[in-house]
Amino acid sequence: MTDFDTYERDLWAGRADVYARGFARLTAHSVGPLLDAARVGAGSRVLDLGTGPGIVAAQAVRRGARVSAVDADPLMAETAARGVPEADVRVAVLPALPHEDETFDAVVGNFVINHVGDPVAALAELRRVLRPGGRVALTCWTMPGSGVLALVRDAMEEVGVAWPDDVPLSPFMTYGRPDAFAALVGGAFREARAEVLDWDFTFEPDEWWRDGAMARVGSNAVVLLRQDPPTIARVKEVYDRRLTGYAVGDGRVSVPAHAILAHGTR
């Protein structure tokens, strides 16, 4: 593992429940397109990477697929195994998977590849476990983050919170564009393509703040929680002010989300 991988293991350790309440609701939007791109259907042998609480695995099971899943965090894997008992869920850290060569018809990862220290090595491992003609489909956020993904970061920048040197940025930053993501996947797979996924995410601002920023979910939250209480309060004020333009009634807001789906064939 790289230093970034080690950082990520600490970042997500013990976050299964709060992730399920917050960010998992945001990332659920892309699950259908992800499984469609991998051509997951009845009888497909599917590997779900970074399964988290098992949302992708559950939808693949509902399609009639035979599902295996992995997550680097033991609590995430335990949560997925409990929620999707039909799936074979294991703990594994990319780029090392505990599966034989050419095991799967499809490998999918919903916002996982951008949390890997060596994406090229990870893709080589995905190719290894896919059968010839099998499909890979992966999502990532557009980078730098924008829309709902940038709310806390933009508020911190407005307040003047500096990004510390010891909190690493994802090595995936250079791949967060459709052309770059397609080229990356094309280094390991045939017929690689990438498409933009845009949607509106509706939520209550205080809940999103509580289950994201103040729950230490993601690097923005790591940086924010290092600040003193007056600084955090100023960031919250800016966050609330920026969200007023997205109000849709009943105390909720609807903010754009921007991601990329890349897929290819072994």
Side-chain angles (χ1 to χ4, degrees), residues 145-180:
S146 58
V148 66
L149 203 67
L151 287 172
V152 174
R153 179 72 174 271
D154 288 349
M156 286 195 297
E157 289 183 352
E158 182 172 329
V159 170
V161 174
W163 196 265
D165 292 337
D166 65 324
V167 177
L169 296 174
S170 169
F172 208 81
M173 292 292 290
T174 56
Y175 300 114
R177 306 183 317 276
D179 57 342

PDB file of all heavy atoms in Angstrom, residues 145-180:
ATOM      1  N   GLY A 145     -13.470  18.700  -6.968  1.00  0.00           N
ATOM      2  CA  GLY A 145     -14.868  18.516  -6.615  1.00  0.00           C
ATOM      3  C   GLY A 145     -15.688  19.767  -6.843  1.00  0.00           C
ATOM      4  O   GLY A 145     -15.206  20.898  -6.672  1.00  0.00           O
ATOM      5  N   SER A 146     -16.937  19.571  -7.242  1.00  0.00           N
ATOM      6  CA  SER A 146     -17.827  20.699  -7.489  1.00  0.00           C
ATOM      7  C   SER A 146     -19.216  20.341  -6.999  1.00  0.00           C
ATOM      8  O   SER A 146     -19.486  19.202  -6.607  1.00  0.00           O
ATOM      9  CB  SER A 146     -17.857  21.042  -8.988  1.00  0.00           C
ATOM     10  OG  SER A 146     -18.279  19.912  -9.744  1.00  0.00           O
ATOM     11  N   GLY A 147     -20.131  21.303  -7.023  1.00  0.00           N
ATOM     12  CA  GLY A 147     -21.488  21.048  -6.582  1.00  0.00           C
ATOM     13  C   GLY A 147     -21.544  20.620  -5.129  1.00  0.00           C
ATOM     14  O   GLY A 147     -20.840  21.161  -4.269  1.00  0.00           O
ATOM     15  N   VAL A 148     -22.337  19.606  -4.846  1.00  0.00           N
ATOM     16  CA  VAL A 148     -22.527  19.176  -3.466  1.00  0.00           C
ATOM     17  C   VAL A 148     -21.214  18.704  -2.842  1.00  0.00           C
ATOM     18  O   VAL A 148     -21.001  18.857  -1.630  1.00  0.00           O
ATOM     19  CB  VAL A 148     -23.596  18.064  -3.394  1.00  0.00           C
ATOM     20  CG1 VAL A 148     -23.138  16.797  -4.082  1.00  0.00           C
ATOM     21  CG2 VAL A 148     -23.988  17.795  -1.954  1.00  0.00           C
ATOM     22  N   LEU A 149     -20.317  18.156  -3.648  1.00  0.00           N
ATOM     23  CA  LEU A 149     -19.060  17.637  -3.108  1.00  0.00           C
ATOM     24  C   LEU A 149     -18.135  18.754  -2.627  1.00  0.00           C
ATOM     25  O   LEU A 149     -17.238  18.517  -1.810  1.00  0.00           O
ATOM     26  CB  LEU A 149     -18.346  16.808  -4.170  1.00  0.00           C
ATOM     27  CG  LEU A 149     -17.346  15.775  -3.650  1.00  0.00           C
ATOM     28  CD1 LEU A 149     -18.067  14.674  -2.883  1.00  0.00           C
ATOM     29  CD2 LEU A 149     -16.540  15.185  -4.794  1.00  0.00           C
ATOM     30  N   ALA A 150     -18.362  19.972  -3.096  1.00  0.00           N
ATOM     31  CA  ALA A 150     -17.469  21.089  -2.765  1.00  0.00           C
ATOM     32  C   ALA A 150     -18.034  22.024  -1.699  1.00  0.00           C
ATOM     33  O   ALA A 150     -17.394  23.023  -1.367  1.00  0.00           O
ATOM     34  CB  ALA A 150     -17.169  21.893  -4.030  1.00  0.00           C
ATOM     35  N   LEU A 151     -19.201  21.721  -1.161  1.00  0.00           N
ATOM     36  CA  LEU A 151     -19.851  22.665  -0.245  1.00  0.00           C
ATOM     37  C   LEU A 151     -18.977  23.023   0.947  1.00  0.00           C
ATOM     38  O   LEU A 151     -18.768  24.206   1.255  1.00  0.00           O
ATOM     39  CB  LEU A 151     -21.183  22.083   0.247  1.00  0.00           C
ATOM     40  CG  LEU A 151     -22.327  22.062  -0.760  1.00  0.00           C
ATOM     41  CD1 LEU A 151     -23.499  21.275  -0.196  1.00  0.00           C
ATOM     42  CD2 LEU A 151     -22.756  23.486  -1.107  1.00  0.00           C
ATOM     43  N   VAL A 152     -18.487  22.035   1.642  1.00  0.00           N
ATOM     44  CA  VAL A 152     -17.686  22.295   2.845  1.00  0.00           C
ATOM     45  C   VAL A 152     -16.331  22.872   2.463  1.00  0.00           C
ATOM     46  O   VAL A 152     -15.847  23.824   3.094  1.00  0.00           O
ATOM     47  CB  VAL A 152     -17.539  21.015   3.674  1.00  0.00           C
ATOM     48  CG1 VAL A 152     -16.591  21.233   4.854  1.00  0.00           C
ATOM     49  CG2 VAL A 152     -18.907  20.550   4.184  1.00  0.00           C
ATOM     50  N   ARG A 153     -15.723  22.329   1.424  1.00  0.00           N
ATOM     51  CA  ARG A 153     -14.397  22.822   1.006  1.00  0.00           C
ATOM     52  C   ARG A 153     -14.476  24.299   0.597  1.00  0.00           C
ATOM     53  O   ARG A 153     -13.622  25.107   0.990  1.00  0.00           O
ATOM     54  CB  ARG A 153     -13.903  21.973  -0.169  1.00  0.00           C
ATOM     55  CG  ARG A 153     -12.535  22.388  -0.740  1.00  0.00           C
ATOM     56  CD  ARG A 153     -11.394  22.040   0.195  1.00  0.00           C
ATOM     57  NE  ARG A 153     -10.101  22.311  -0.400  1.00  0.00           N
ATOM     58  CZ  ARG A 153      -9.409  21.428  -1.133  1.00  0.00           C
ATOM     59  NH1 ARG A 153      -9.909  20.225  -1.372  1.00  0.00           N
ATOM     60  NH2 ARG A 153      -8.235  21.744  -1.606  1.00  0.00           N
ATOM     61  N   ASP A 154     -15.485  24.676  -0.166  1.00  0.00           N
ATOM     62  CA  ASP A 154     -15.623  26.071  -0.590  1.00  0.00           C
ATOM     63  C   ASP A 154     -15.868  26.990   0.604  1.00  0.00           C
ATOM     64  O   ASP A 154     -15.355  28.118   0.650  1.00  0.00           O
ATOM     65  CB  ASP A 154     -16.767  26.210  -1.598  1.00  0.00           C
ATOM     66  CG  ASP A 154     -16.422  25.615  -2.956  1.00  0.00           C
ATOM     67  OD1 ASP A 154     -15.252  25.294  -3.188  1.00  0.00           O
ATOM     68  OD2 ASP A 154     -17.347  25.473  -3.784  1.00  0.00           O
ATOM     69  N   ALA A 155     -16.657  26.521   1.557  1.00  0.00           N
ATOM     70  CA  ALA A 155     -16.908  27.335   2.747  1.00  0.00           C
ATOM     71  C   ALA A 155     -15.625  27.521   3.553  1.00  0.00           C
ATOM     72  O   ALA A 155     -15.351  28.619   4.067  1.00  0.00           O
ATOM     73  CB  ALA A 155     -17.987  26.684   3.609  1.00  0.00           C
ATOM     74  N   MET A 156     -14.811  26.481   3.665  1.00  0.00           N
ATOM     75  CA  MET A 156     -13.537  26.606   4.376  1.00  0.00           C
ATOM     76  C   MET A 156     -12.609  27.585   3.670  1.00  0.00           C
ATOM     77  O   MET A 156     -11.933  28.399   4.313  1.00  0.00           O
ATOM     78  CB  MET A 156     -12.870  25.237   4.501  1.00  0.00           C
ATOM     79  CG  MET A 156     -13.527  24.317   5.517  1.00  0.00           C
ATOM     80  SD  MET A 156     -12.513  22.879   5.970  1.00  0.00           S
ATOM     81  CE  MET A 156     -12.391  22.021   4.400  1.00  0.00           C
ATOM     82  N   GLU A 157     -12.567  27.506   2.341  1.00  0.00           N
ATOM     83  CA  GLU A 157     -11.700  28.423   1.598  1.00  0.00           C
ATOM     84  C   GLU A 157     -12.150  29.862   1.780  1.00  0.00           C
ATOM     85  O   GLU A 157     -11.318  30.770   1.909  1.00  0.00           O
ATOM     86  CB  GLU A 157     -11.689  28.039   0.121  1.00  0.00           C
ATOM     87  CG  GLU A 157     -10.936  26.744  -0.155  1.00  0.00           C
ATOM     88  CD  GLU A 157     -10.885  26.415  -1.633  1.00  0.00           C
ATOM     89  OE1 GLU A 157     -11.566  27.101  -2.423  1.00  0.00           O
ATOM     90  OE2 GLU A 157     -10.163  25.466  -2.002  1.00  0.00           O
ATOM     91  N   GLU A 158     -13.463  30.113   1.798  1.00  0.00           N
ATOM     92  CA  GLU A 158     -13.943  31.472   2.001  1.00  0.00           C
ATOM     93  C   GLU A 158     -13.558  32.006   3.369  1.00  0.00           C
ATOM     94  O   GLU A 158     -13.212  33.192   3.517  1.00  0.00           O
ATOM     95  CB  GLU A 158     -15.465  31.526   1.827  1.00  0.00           C
ATOM     96  CG  GLU A 158     -16.030  32.939   1.982  1.00  0.00           C
ATOM     97  CD  GLU A 158     -17.496  33.031   1.621  1.00  0.00           C
ATOM     98  OE1 GLU A 158     -17.955  32.265   0.745  1.00  0.00           O
ATOM     99  OE2 GLU A 158     -18.186  33.888   2.214  1.00  0.00           O
ATOM    100  N   VAL A 159     -13.574  31.144   4.363  1.00  0.00           N
ATOM    101  CA  VAL A 159     -13.198  31.553   5.720  1.00  0.00           C
ATOM    102  C   VAL A 159     -11.688  31.704   5.863  1.00  0.00           C
ATOM    103  O   VAL A 159     -11.215  32.422   6.750  1.00  0.00           O
ATOM    104  CB  VAL A 159     -13.762  30.536   6.737  1.00  0.00           C
ATOM    105  CG1 VAL A 159     -13.206  30.768   8.131  1.00  0.00           C
ATOM    106  CG2 VAL A 159     -15.287  30.606   6.758  1.00  0.00           C
ATOM    107  N   GLY A 160     -10.943  31.060   4.978  1.00  0.00           N
ATOM    108  CA  GLY A 160      -9.487  31.170   5.028  1.00  0.00           C
ATOM    109  C   GLY A 160      -8.795  29.993   5.677  1.00  0.00           C
ATOM    110  O   GLY A 160      -7.637  30.101   6.097  1.00  0.00           O
ATOM    111  N   VAL A 161      -9.469  28.838   5.744  1.00  0.00           N
ATOM    112  CA  VAL A 161      -8.852  27.643   6.312  1.00  0.00           C
ATOM    113  C   VAL A 161      -7.877  27.066   5.287  1.00  0.00           C
ATOM    114  O   VAL A 161      -8.257  26.762   4.150  1.00  0.00           O
ATOM    115  CB  VAL A 161      -9.925  26.594   6.671  1.00  0.00           C
ATOM    116  CG1 VAL A 161      -9.268  25.292   7.130  1.00  0.00           C
ATOM    117  CG2 VAL A 161     -10.856  27.132   7.746  1.00  0.00           C
ATOM    118  N   ALA A 162      -6.627  26.933   5.688  1.00  0.00           N
ATOM    119  CA  ALA A 162      -5.598  26.415   4.786  1.00  0.00           C
ATOM    120  C   ALA A 162      -5.613  24.883   4.787  1.00  0.00           C
ATOM    121  O   ALA A 162      -5.904  24.256   5.814  1.00  0.00           O
ATOM    122  CB  ALA A 162      -4.230  26.924   5.212  1.00  0.00           C
ATOM    123  N   TRP A 163      -5.281  24.305   3.656  1.00  0.00           N
ATOM    124  CA  TRP A 163      -5.199  22.848   3.557  1.00  0.00           C
ATOM    125  C   TRP A 163      -3.839  22.397   4.097  1.00  0.00           C
ATOM    126  O   TRP A 163      -2.802  22.805   3.601  1.00  0.00           O
ATOM    127  CB  TRP A 163      -5.351  22.395   2.114  1.00  0.00           C
ATOM    128  CG  TRP A 163      -5.649  20.934   1.986  1.00  0.00           C
ATOM    129  CD1 TRP A 163      -4.754  19.922   1.774  1.00  0.00           C
ATOM    130  CD2 TRP A 163      -6.938  20.320   2.073  1.00  0.00           C
ATOM    131  NE1 TRP A 163      -5.401  18.715   1.720  1.00  0.00           N
ATOM    132  CE2 TRP A 163      -6.745  18.922   1.904  1.00  0.00           C
ATOM    133  CE3 TRP A 163      -8.225  20.808   2.284  1.00  0.00           C
ATOM    134  CZ2 TRP A 163      -7.804  18.017   1.931  1.00  0.00           C
ATOM    135  CZ3 TRP A 163      -9.284  19.902   2.308  1.00  0.00           C
ATOM    136  CH2 TRP A 163      -9.062  18.535   2.139  1.00  0.00           C
ATOM    137  N   PRO A 164      -3.823  21.555   5.126  1.00  0.00           N
ATOM    138  CA  PRO A 164      -2.546  21.163   5.736  1.00  0.00           C
ATOM    139  C   PRO A 164      -1.742  20.212   4.864  1.00  0.00           C
ATOM    140  O   PRO A 164      -2.308  19.414   4.109  1.00  0.00           O
ATOM    141  CB  PRO A 164      -2.972  20.491   7.047  1.00  0.00           C
ATOM    142  CG  PRO A 164      -4.374  20.049   6.812  1.00  0.00           C
ATOM    143  CD  PRO A 164      -4.982  21.012   5.847  1.00  0.00           C
ATOM    144  N   ASP A 165      -0.434  20.272   4.998  1.00  0.00           N
ATOM    145  CA  ASP A 165       0.448  19.457   4.169  1.00  0.00           C
ATOM    146  C   ASP A 165       0.317  17.967   4.456  1.00  0.00           C
ATOM    147  O   ASP A 165       0.605  17.141   3.579  1.00  0.00           O
ATOM    148  CB  ASP A 165       1.908  19.875   4.386  1.00  0.00           C
ATOM    149  CG  ASP A 165       2.200  21.275   3.849  1.00  0.00           C
ATOM    150  OD1 ASP A 165       1.449  21.717   2.953  1.00  0.00           O
ATOM    151  OD2 ASP A 165       3.158  21.904   4.323  1.00  0.00           O
ATOM    152  N   ASP A 166      -0.108  17.608   5.650  1.00  0.00           N
ATOM    153  CA  ASP A 166      -0.150  16.187   6.000  1.00  0.00           C
ATOM    154  C   ASP A 166      -1.477  15.509   5.652  1.00  0.00           C
ATOM    155  O   ASP A 166      -1.660  14.329   5.950  1.00  0.00           O
ATOM    156  CB  ASP A 166       0.151  15.997   7.488  1.00  0.00           C
ATOM    157  CG  ASP A 166      -0.923  16.611   8.384  1.00  0.00           C
ATOM    158  OD1 ASP A 166      -1.460  17.677   8.016  1.00  0.00           O
ATOM    159  OD2 ASP A 166      -1.219  16.041   9.454  1.00  0.00           O
ATOM    160  N   VAL A 167      -2.405  16.232   5.034  1.00  0.00           N
ATOM    161  CA  VAL A 167      -3.652  15.621   4.559  1.00  0.00           C
ATOM    162  C   VAL A 167      -3.533  15.504   3.045  1.00  0.00           C
ATOM    163  O   VAL A 167      -3.647  16.493   2.322  1.00  0.00           O
ATOM    164  CB  VAL A 167      -4.883  16.460   4.947  1.00  0.00           C
ATOM    165  CG1 VAL A 167      -6.150  15.836   4.373  1.00  0.00           C
ATOM    166  CG2 VAL A 167      -4.987  16.566   6.466  1.00  0.00           C
ATOM    167  N   PRO A 168      -3.293  14.290   2.537  1.00  0.00           N
ATOM    168  CA  PRO A 168      -2.985  14.143   1.114  1.00  0.00           C
ATOM    169  C   PRO A 168      -4.211  14.293   0.223  1.00  0.00           C
ATOM    170  O   PRO A 168      -5.331  13.946   0.612  1.00  0.00           O
ATOM    171  CB  PRO A 168      -2.432  12.717   1.028  1.00  0.00           C
ATOM    172  CG  PRO A 168      -3.110  11.993   2.153  1.00  0.00           C
ATOM    173  CD  PRO A 168      -3.260  13.000   3.259  1.00  0.00           C
ATOM    174  N   LEU A 169      -3.986  14.814  -0.969  1.00  0.00           N
ATOM    175  CA  LEU A 169      -5.011  14.818  -2.000  1.00  0.00           C
ATOM    176  C   LEU A 169      -4.967  13.486  -2.737  1.00  0.00           C
ATOM    177  O   LEU A 169      -3.938  12.822  -2.806  1.00  0.00           O
ATOM    178  CB  LEU A 169      -4.773  15.972  -2.977  1.00  0.00           C
ATOM    179  CG  LEU A 169      -4.881  17.376  -2.399  1.00  0.00           C
ATOM    180  CD1 LEU A 169      -4.478  18.407  -3.455  1.00  0.00           C
ATOM    181  CD2 LEU A 169      -6.287  17.655  -1.899  1.00  0.00           C
ATOM    182  N   SER A 170      -6.080  13.084  -3.287  1.00  0.00           N
ATOM    183  CA  SER A 170      -6.142  11.819  -4.006  1.00  0.00           C
ATOM    184  C   SER A 170      -5.219  11.843  -5.225  1.00  0.00           C
ATOM    185  O   SER A 170      -5.201  12.834  -5.970  1.00  0.00           O
ATOM    186  CB  SER A 170      -7.577  11.556  -4.465  1.00  0.00           C
ATOM    187  OG  SER A 170      -7.614  10.473  -5.371  1.00  0.00           O
ATOM    188  N   PRO A 171      -4.450  10.777  -5.447  1.00  0.00           N
ATOM    189  CA  PRO A 171      -3.662  10.681  -6.681  1.00  0.00           C
ATOM    190  C   PRO A 171      -4.553  10.701  -7.922  1.00  0.00           C
ATOM    191  O   PRO A 171      -4.051  10.865  -9.035  1.00  0.00           O
ATOM    192  CB  PRO A 171      -2.953   9.326  -6.540  1.00  0.00           C
ATOM    193  CG  PRO A 171      -2.987   9.007  -5.089  1.00  0.00           C
ATOM    194  CD  PRO A 171      -4.247   9.615  -4.565  1.00  0.00           C
ATOM    195  N   PHE A 172      -5.842  10.529  -7.720  1.00  0.00           N
ATOM    196  CA  PHE A 172      -6.785  10.473  -8.835  1.00  0.00           C
ATOM    197  C   PHE A 172      -7.152  11.855  -9.358  1.00  0.00           C
ATOM    198  O   PHE A 172      -7.893  11.962 -10.332  1.00  0.00           O
ATOM    199  CB  PHE A 172      -8.058   9.735  -8.383  1.00  0.00           C
ATOM    200  CG  PHE A 172      -8.780   9.044  -9.494  1.00  0.00           C
ATOM    201  CD1 PHE A 172      -8.359   7.814  -9.946  1.00  0.00           C
ATOM    202  CD2 PHE A 172      -9.875   9.622 -10.092  1.00  0.00           C
ATOM    203  CE1 PHE A 172      -9.014   7.173 -10.980  1.00  0.00           C
ATOM    204  CE2 PHE A 172     -10.542   8.989 -11.118  1.00  0.00           C
ATOM    205  CZ  PHE A 172     -10.108   7.753 -11.571  1.00  0.00           C
ATOM    206  N   MET A 173      -6.655  12.915  -8.731  1.00  0.00           N
ATOM    207  CA  MET A 173      -7.033  14.270  -9.138  1.00  0.00           C
ATOM    208  C   MET A 173      -6.839  14.494 -10.637  1.00  0.00           C
ATOM    209  O   MET A 173      -7.647  15.151 -11.287  1.00  0.00           O
ATOM    210  CB  MET A 173      -6.220  15.294  -8.359  1.00  0.00           C
ATOM    211  CG  MET A 173      -6.535  15.354  -6.869  1.00  0.00           C
ATOM    212  SD  MET A 173      -8.188  15.996  -6.507  1.00  0.00           S
ATOM    213  CE  MET A 173      -7.982  17.725  -6.962  1.00  0.00           C
ATOM    214  N   THR A 174      -5.788  13.925 -11.203  1.00  0.00           N
ATOM    215  CA  THR A 174      -5.497  14.155 -12.624  1.00  0.00           C
ATOM    216  C   THR A 174      -6.422  13.368 -13.547  1.00  0.00           C
ATOM    217  O   THR A 174      -6.426  13.608 -14.761  1.00  0.00           O
ATOM    218  CB  THR A 174      -4.042  13.773 -12.946  1.00  0.00           C
ATOM    219  OG1 THR A 174      -3.821  12.413 -12.558  1.00  0.00           O
ATOM    220  CG2 THR A 174      -3.072  14.665 -12.187  1.00  0.00           C
ATOM    221  N   TYR A 175      -7.206  12.436 -12.994  1.00  0.00           N
ATOM    222  CA  TYR A 175      -8.080  11.614 -13.819  1.00  0.00           C
ATOM    223  C   TYR A 175      -9.547  12.010 -13.719  1.00  0.00           C
ATOM    224  O   TYR A 175     -10.401  11.338 -14.309  1.00  0.00           O
ATOM    225  CB  TYR A 175      -7.949  10.140 -13.411  1.00  0.00           C
ATOM    226  CG  TYR A 175      -6.556   9.589 -13.559  1.00  0.00           C
ATOM    227  CD1 TYR A 175      -5.829   9.198 -12.434  1.00  0.00           C
ATOM    228  CD2 TYR A 175      -5.954   9.462 -14.805  1.00  0.00           C
ATOM    229  CE1 TYR A 175      -4.546   8.687 -12.558  1.00  0.00           C
ATOM    230  CE2 TYR A 175      -4.674   8.953 -14.943  1.00  0.00           C
ATOM    231  CZ  TYR A 175      -3.972   8.566 -13.801  1.00  0.00           C
ATOM    232  OH  TYR A 175      -2.706   8.073 -13.933  1.00  0.00           O
ATOM    233  N   GLY A 176      -9.844  13.076 -13.004  1.00  0.00           N
ATOM    234  CA  GLY A 176     -11.233  13.440 -12.764  1.00  0.00           C
ATOM    235  C   GLY A 176     -11.890  14.223 -13.883  1.00  0.00           C
ATOM    236  O   GLY A 176     -12.685  15.131 -13.630  1.00  0.00           O
ATOM    237  N   ARG A 177     -11.582  13.873 -15.142  1.00  0.00           N
ATOM    238  CA  ARG A 177     -12.238  14.417 -16.329  1.00  0.00           C
ATOM    239  C   ARG A 177     -12.597  13.233 -17.226  1.00  0.00           C
ATOM    240  O   ARG A 177     -11.891  12.218 -17.221  1.00  0.00           O
ATOM    241  CB  ARG A 177     -11.322  15.363 -17.105  1.00  0.00           C
ATOM    242  CG  ARG A 177     -10.718  16.491 -16.301  1.00  0.00           C
ATOM    243  CD  ARG A 177      -9.881  17.411 -17.211  1.00  0.00           C
ATOM    244  NE  ARG A 177      -9.056  16.681 -18.163  1.00  0.00           N
ATOM    245  CZ  ARG A 177      -7.858  16.177 -17.884  1.00  0.00           C
ATOM    246  NH1 ARG A 177      -7.348  16.309 -16.674  1.00  0.00           N
ATOM    247  NH2 ARG A 177      -7.176  15.527 -18.825  1.00  0.00           N
ATOM    248  N   PRO A 178     -13.654  13.341 -18.009  1.00  0.00           N
ATOM    249  CA  PRO A 178     -14.052  12.188 -18.827  1.00  0.00           C
ATOM    250  C   PRO A 178     -12.944  11.650 -19.717  1.00  0.00           C
ATOM    251  O   PRO A 178     -12.744  10.425 -19.792  1.00  0.00           O
ATOM    252  CB  PRO A 178     -15.226  12.736 -19.647  1.00  0.00           C
ATOM    253  CG  PRO A 178     -15.810  13.804 -18.784  1.00  0.00           C
ATOM    254  CD  PRO A 178     -14.635  14.448 -18.100  1.00  0.00           C
ATOM    255  N   ASP A 179     -12.216  12.534 -20.399  1.00  0.00           N
ATOM    256  CA  ASP A 179     -11.180  12.046 -21.305  1.00  0.00           C
ATOM    257  C   ASP A 179     -10.049  11.358 -20.545  1.00  0.00           C
ATOM    258  O   ASP A 179      -9.558  10.302 -20.971  1.00  0.00           O
ATOM    259  CB  ASP A 179     -10.643  13.190 -22.171  1.00  0.00           C
ATOM    260  CG  ASP A 179     -10.091  14.347 -21.355  1.00  0.00           C
ATOM    261  OD1 ASP A 179     -10.405  14.453 -20.149  1.00  0.00           O
ATOM    262  OD2 ASP A 179      -9.332  15.172 -21.923  1.00  0.00           O
ATOM    263  N   ALA A 180      -9.654  11.935 -19.419  1.00  0.00           N
ATOM    264  CA  ALA A 180      -8.562  11.359 -18.643  1.00  0.00           C
ATOM    265  C   ALA A 180      -8.972  10.036 -17.998  1.00  0.00           C
ATOM    266  O   ALA A 180      -8.180   9.084 -17.943  1.00  0.00           O
ATOM    267  CB  ALA A 180      -8.105  12.351 -17.575  1.00  0.00           C
TER     268      ALA A 180
END
